[in-house]
Amino acid sequence: MKNWLCGTALAALATPILAFSALAGDVTTFTLKNGLDVVVLEDHRAPLVVQMVWYRAGSADETRGKSGVAHYLEHLMFKGTKTMAPGELSKVVEANGGSDNAFTSYDYTAYFQSIAADRLPLIMKMEADRMRNLRLTEDDWQTEREVVIEERNQRTDSDPGSIFHEQLSAAQYLNHPYGTPIIGWRHEMEKLTREDALAWYRLYYAPNDATLVIAGDATPEKVKALAEEYYGPLEPSAGIAPRQRVTEPPQLAERRLIYRDPRVSQPMLTRSYLAPERNPGDQRTAAALTILAEALGGNGQTSVLGRAMQFGSKTAISTFASYDGTSLDATTFNIGVVPAEGVSLDDAEREMDKVLADFLKTGIDQEQLARIRTQIEAADIYSRDSVHGRAMKYGEGLAIGLTIKDIEDWQGILASVTADEVMAAARQVLDRRASVTGLMERGEEATQ
């Protein structure tokens, strides 16, 4: 079980500040006495800076029956503190020419600001303030609960595709909390209280459960001084423990579901398989699956599914495959097809299975593998131009338990994956007996 080992308050206070340790030339890390991990990504090409605070708690860490509380608190974090009025943080950032936002995932919650480099003390002061000093009135929590419920109305309940994928995830994970939507189940969201939000806040929103990432035009020395000034006085939480999550039982039977809705404009077939995630010191299988997804469905004109079904048999107007190993626990590998006019979902599925079977026999084309490697290398080079993108890459990786070295090694591992490794990963994961197949089509809507 991967986890970021977080000590008790006494252990955190006893931890000395680590000496600066730089990897890859412009990456520096250190830890404050209260347990806050800090990463500095220097980039002096423009006088801009990004601050991101990553809490190692997401929706998959919620107590059963309290789904949506992590995302709910994310909204409430903009309500103010003893020294900031509700909404003041965002207004101040905007008035200083910057932008800010936040997001919740299964494994983490993150808050960020992008602003001129000389405003770094300002945003550090405000972000540190709300890490431990959030204030919620009786009106705040009730109003914001309605806001997140309305968000679910707009993004999920009014979109048949979103409902379909929500049902697929629930079918994929029988036991693990990844089967519960990040935004929460509506009937549980409606019962969330102010105390639910504050209990989550008091436990997880602490320096010893967070990583501060500063990227852009700032030096490690300056960041260290500011971090000690603003984040250093914050008390750590005594309740942080290694994350221990339930695991999935072995899948013994293929699972299938059919979702019908009169709002469906285009039928779709999708299939998911449980797949390994990226692990500290062990990322080669995840890298092979990343390349496999690109090979099977990354580009309609060059991918295996695209060439066979869009341009060969012409049974599909769109094909896709996806995999993202940046999760704490086992994730999914997904493939899918949007059938062509006059092609049934059953016929599309038979053709997809035939293409997959042929691929498992013949293997990945060496020219295709070389092309994918070139595309990955180019994408990595372009991504370095984005200060925010670099902060995201390091923050997300550390939040799921990877090390700085793992993050730095990832591109090299992708570039070195062999055809044999790709096919070994394909044979390991693409087992229909351990899959969930979903069919979405127009039809009578299910009763709520």
Side-chain angles (χ1 to χ4, degrees):
M1 177 69 69
K2 299 191 306 296
N3 58 66
W4 186 301
L5 294 177
C6 303
T8 63
L10 285 176
L13 288 171
T15 302
I17 296 177
L18 301 181
F20 291 133
S21 59
L23 293 174
D26 62 348
V27 181
T28 303
T29 65
F30 57 91
T31 302
L32 300 187
K33 291 181 179 180
N34 58 10
L36 179 68
D37 294 302
V38 184
V39 179
V40 184
L41 308 172
E42 290 185 79
D43 186 337
H44 301 291
R45 293 175 299 173
L48 302 172
V49 71
V50 172
Q51 172 181 242
M52 302 191 81
V53 172
W54 296 74
Y55 293 101
R56 296 184 285 274
S59 66
D61 300 298
E62 295 166 343
T63 302
R64 294 283 186 174
K66 301 290 185 182
S67 66
V69 70
H71 175 253
Y72 176 39
L73 179 62
E74 177 211 311
H75 278 244
L76 290 170
M77 283 290 286
F78 293 86
K79 289 301 181 183
T81 67
K82 291 179 179 178
T83 60
M84 288 191 295
E88 182 178 347
L89 185 150
S90 296
K91 291 176 182 177
V92 170
V93 170
E94 183 179 4
N96 282 271
S99 61
D100 75 310
N101 215 324
F103 51 88
T104 303
S105 185
Y106 289 111
D107 300 312
Y108 48 77
T109 310
Y111 300 82
F112 65 90
Q113 301 87 31
S114 300
I115 203 165
D118 62 355
R119 302 296 195 275
L120 180 58
L122 174 66
I123 59 174
M124 266 208 187
K125 178 181 179 181
M126 293 190 296
E127 191 64 77
D129 186 24
R130 67 173 172 176
M131 180 179 282
R132 278 312 216 183
N133 299 312
L134 181 66
R135 290 293 178 267
L136 300 178
T137 68
E138 287 297 326
D139 291 335
D140 286 339
W141 73 270
Q142 293 184 3
T143 301
E144 206 60 37
R145 187 178 64 183
E146 295 307 309
V147 170
V148 295
I149 290 173
E150 181 57 28
E151 182 179 336
R152 181 182 168 88
N153 289 340
Q154 294 180 4
R155 296 187 177 182
T156 304
D157 297 337
S158 63
D159 179 7
S162 295
I163 297 174
F164 175 57
H165 286 97
E166 186 177 82
Q167 293 294 305
L168 281 171
S169 292
Q172 179 73 76
Y173 294 99
L174 297 183
N175 196 41
H176 194 279
Y178 285 171
T180 299
I182 294 170
I183 198 168
W185 297 115
R186 184 188 182 94
H187 67 285
E188 293 181 351
M189 295 167 66
E190 293 173 339
K191 296 179 181 178
L192 292 175
T193 66
R194 176 175 179 269
E195 187 50 44
D196 290 332
L198 288 175
W200 182 268
Y201 174 75
R202 295 184 188 113
L203 176 59
Y204 292 116
Y205 280 52
N208 57 323
D209 196 42
T211 299
L212 170 66
V213 179
I214 303 295
D217 189 19
T219 64
E221 292 77 16
K222 179 178 180 180
V223 172
K224 179 175 181 289
L226 291 173
E228 288 180 325
E229 179 180 357
Y230 295 116
Y231 290 97
L234 302 179
E235 289 295 321
S237 173
I240 303 298
R243 291 197 271 192
Q244 299 291 338
R245 292 183 181 157
V246 297
T247 57
E248 280 293 292
Q251 184 172 346
L252 304 178
E254 178 183 1
R255 299 169 199 154
R256 298 178 66 83
L257 65 88
I258 301 173
Y259 176 69
R260 298 186 177 95
D261 193 306
R263 299 170 295 178
V264 172
S265 59
Q266 181 65 61
M268 176 186 292
L269 158 71
T270 185
R271 184 179 295 156
S272 63
Y273 310 80
L274 276 182
E277 73 283 11
R278 291 168 62 182
N279 288 305
D282 181 17
Q283 303 184 88
R284 293 200 70 84
T285 298
L289 289 171
T290 300
I291 292 176
L292 176 65
E294 188 66 27
L296 288 178
N299 182 301
Q301 295 182 327
T302 60
S303 66
V304 172
L305 289 171
R307 286 181 303 185
M309 299 186 68
Q310 294 175 236
F311 296 96
S313 64
K314 294 183 172 24
T315 51
I317 61 173
S318 177
T319 57
F320 59 87
S322 65
Y323 167 79
D324 183 359
T326 49
S327 61
L328 188 66
D329 301 316
T331 183
T332 58
F333 188 96
N334 308 281
I335 57 175
V337 173
V338 176
E341 185 71 26
V343 178
S344 70
L345 288 171
D346 288 340
D347 287 343
E349 183 176 12
R350 279 190 287 271
E351 181 66 15
M352 183 180 77
D353 284 332
K354 178 179 179 298
V355 173
L356 290 175
D358 289 343
F359 173 76
L360 290 172
K361 289 178 183 177
T362 60
I364 186 170
D365 181 86
Q366 289 292 344
E367 290 186 4
Q368 184 186 31
L369 178 58
R371 183 170 56 249
I372 291 171
R373 285 172 172 165
T374 300
Q375 292 170 346
I376 288 173
E377 183 179 2
D380 178 54
I381 291 171
Y382 284 122
S383 71
R384 297 175 196 173
D385 281 336
S386 169
V387 174
H388 187 274
R390 291 192 69 214
M392 281 286 298
K393 180 173 74 172
Y394 282 87
E396 183 178 39
L398 294 170
I400 62 166
L402 299 178
T403 66
I404 294 289
K405 186 176 186 304
D406 291 323
I407 298 166
E408 295 290 347
D409 288 347
W410 177 241
Q411 291 300 324
I413 294 172
L414 285 171
S416 67
V417 166
T418 66
D420 287 343
E421 287 178 303
V422 173
M423 296 312 300
R427 287 187 287 270
Q428 174 185 345
V429 171
L430 300 180
D431 183 352
R432 180 166 170 171
R433 295 167 300 178
S435 68
V436 177
T437 301
L439 309 176
M440 181 177 70
E441 57 190 16
R442 184 178 299 176
E444 185 177 349
E445 189 172 7
T447 57
Q448 296 288 329

